[in-house]
């Protein structure tokens, strides 16, 4: 019997191609399968993830544990990445985050990304550029050998907040597009959590799809934008934020984990 993750692979194989962007109907087929996938389908156990955090918790800068001390990630287990599959057209992988761990703001140039939260709770914050640069790369994933958008975006640039929410599993698959839906996003684990990502196409230095990290320089306006929590949206005035490239802190560590789920691919 074909497993859920193998069905996901086969549908992605039929959907994603470098010759043309996927249609809305094709993306919906991928989302439908992702929506049905559970942690157990990819060899994960939420109970095990919770137990692995015993003895860590939140610590303040003075090294003493306390509810009101600043939270830092360096005392927590590192983030793990489980590689499932990669080809020229798409990749599949899982990020496992311990409580309080963060993946900083980062972009996905010329890429469509579908993310399914498998267990736990995660805060997601995402931006789109107000005036996207390198439009040809961002809108056409078939472009190869072009100048990286990284070279065009060194200075702080204006971005608009499009997502600011806490997701709690089970929830629907999130989708971001090359220039919309929150192409620049950050994850913060509210509880131990795991997210299954499909990237189409994958990052590739050869074709100019670099992963660039950003931080918020300053905002232009008086409100933080729309706040969304599990689909409930409170409308607020939108604000533009200046994002600047930076190197992630030394305590941002992603280690390669062992995928223990069903075989993926041919």
């Amino acid at each position: 019997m074909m497993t859920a993750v193998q069905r996901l692979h086969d549908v992605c194989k039929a959907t994603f191609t470098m010759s043309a962007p996927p249609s809305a109907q094709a993306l919906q087929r991928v989302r439908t399968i992702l929506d049905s996938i559970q942690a157990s389908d990819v060899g994960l156990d939420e109970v095990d993830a919770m137990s692995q955090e015993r003895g860590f918790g939140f610590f303040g800068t003075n090294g003493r544990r306390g509810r009101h001390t600043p939270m830092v990630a360096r005392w927590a287990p590192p983030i793990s990445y489980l590689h499932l599959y990669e080809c020229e057209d798409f990749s599949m992988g899982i990020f496992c985050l311990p409580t309080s761990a963060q993946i900083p703001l980062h972009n996905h140039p010329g890429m469509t990304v579908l993310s399914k939260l498998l267990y736990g709770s995660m805060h997601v914050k995402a931006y789109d550029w107000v005036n996207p640069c390198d439009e040809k790369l961002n809108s056409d994933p078939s472009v190869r050998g072009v100048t990286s958008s990284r070279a065009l975006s060194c200075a702080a640039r204006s971005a608009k907040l499009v997502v600011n929410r806490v997701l709690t599993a089970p929830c629907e698959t999130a989708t971001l597009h090359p220039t919309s839906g929150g192409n620049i996003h950050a994850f913060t684990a509210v509880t131990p959590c795991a997210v299954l990502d499909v990237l189409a196409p994958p990052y590739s230095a050869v074709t100019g799809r670099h992963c660039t990290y950003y931080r918020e320089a300053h905002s232009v306006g008086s409100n933080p934008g729309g706040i969304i929590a599990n689909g409930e949206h409170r409308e607020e005035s939108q604000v533009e934020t200046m994002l600047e490239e930076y190197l992630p802190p030394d305590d941002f560590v992603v280690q390669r984990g062992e995928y223990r789920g069903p075989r993926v691919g041919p």
Side-chain angles (χ1 to χ4, degrees), residues 39 44-46 49 96-97 117-121 169 191-195:
L44 293 179
D45 190 321
E46 182 178 6
C96 300
L97 288 77
L117 186 63
L118 298 170
Y119 63 76
S121 293
T191 69
C193 58
V195 58

Side-chain angles (χ1 to χ4, degrees), residues 84-134:
L84 275 66
Y85 177 83
E86 183 171 335
C87 65
E88 179 183 56
D89 298 319
F90 69 95
S91 66
M92 300 164 55
I94 300 170
F95 286 95
C96 300
L97 288 77
T99 302
S100 81
Q102 297 179 328
I103 298 179
L105 284 169
H106 59 283
N107 68 343
H108 307 81
M111 300 157 66
T112 300
V113 180
L114 297 96
S115 299
K116 169 61 188 295
L117 186 63
L118 298 170
Y119 63 76
S121 293
M122 169 186 288
H123 178 262
V124 180
K125 193 171 190 178
Y127 293 89
D128 285 324
W129 296 123
V130 172
N131 296 301
C133 70
D134 201 356

Side-chain angles (χ1 to χ4, degrees), residues 61 121 137 210:
T61 53
S121 293
L137 173 63
H210 300 274

Side-chain angles (χ1 to χ4, degrees), residues 189-262:
V190 178
T191 69
C193 58
V195 58
L196 169 59
D197 275 348
V198 175
L199 278 60
Y203 288 110
S204 170
V206 174
T207 56
R209 291 188 300 275
H210 300 274
C211 180
T212 303
Y213 291 93
Y214 298 90
R215 61 185 173 191
E216 297 158 327
H218 60 86
S219 298
V220 181
S222 58
N223 274 315
I227 306 299
I228 310 170
N230 280 353
E232 296 183 7
H233 182 259
R234 184 171 75 253
E235 200 68 39
E236 297 181 9
S237 62
Q238 195 171 61
V239 64
E240 293 182 9
T241 300
M242 302 300 293
L243 301 183
E244 60 183 8
E245 293 185 23
Y246 90 123
L247 294 177
D250 292 339
D251 60 3
F252 172 57
V253 177
V254 179
Q255 66 178 13
R256 188 69 172 262
E258 181 182 357
Y259 172 62
R260 300 178 181 274

Side-chain angles (χ1 to χ4, degrees), residues 35-187:
D35 285 342
S36 70
I37 290 180
Q38 301 179 16
S40 58
D41 293 324
V42 289
L44 293 179
D45 190 321
E46 182 178 6
V47 175
D48 288 344
M50 296 288 288
S51 65
Q52 289 170 6
E53 287 200 343
R54 292 173 184 168
F56 290 94
F58 298 142
F59 290 80
T61 53
N62 61 0
R64 300 178 62 185
R65 186 171 182 169
R67 290 175 54 194
H68 304 296
T69 56
M71 286 185 282
V72 293
R74 64 178 179 273
W75 299 108
I79 299 169
S80 295
Y81 177 74
L82 314 181
H83 176 76
L84 275 66
Y85 177 83
E86 183 171 335
C87 65
E88 179 183 56
D89 298 319
F90 69 95
S91 66
M92 300 164 55
I94 300 170
F95 286 95
C96 300
L97 288 77
T99 302
S100 81
Q102 297 179 328
I103 298 179
L105 284 169
H106 59 283
N107 68 343
H108 307 81
M111 300 157 66
T112 300
V113 180
L114 297 96
S115 299
K116 169 61 188 295
L117 186 63
L118 298 170
Y119 63 76
S121 293
M122 169 186 288
H123 178 262
V124 180
K125 193 171 190 178
Y127 293 89
D128 285 324
W129 296 123
V130 172
N131 296 301
C133 70
D134 201 356
E135 195 68 34
K136 190 172 180 59
L137 173 63
N138 283 339
S139 61
D140 184 0
S142 67
V143 174
R144 293 177 176 275
V146 298
T147 301
S148 168
S149 60
R150 185 187 183 109
L152 302 177
S153 59
C154 292
R157 296 175 54 205
S158 181
K160 56 186 176 183
L161 180 68
V162 294
V163 176
N164 189 15
R165 69 177 72 181
V166 173
L167 296 176
T168 298
C171 56
E172 293 184 349
T173 298
T175 306
L176 63 85
H177 303 276
T179 59
S180 64
N183 189 274
I184 305 162
H185 68 194
F187 296 152

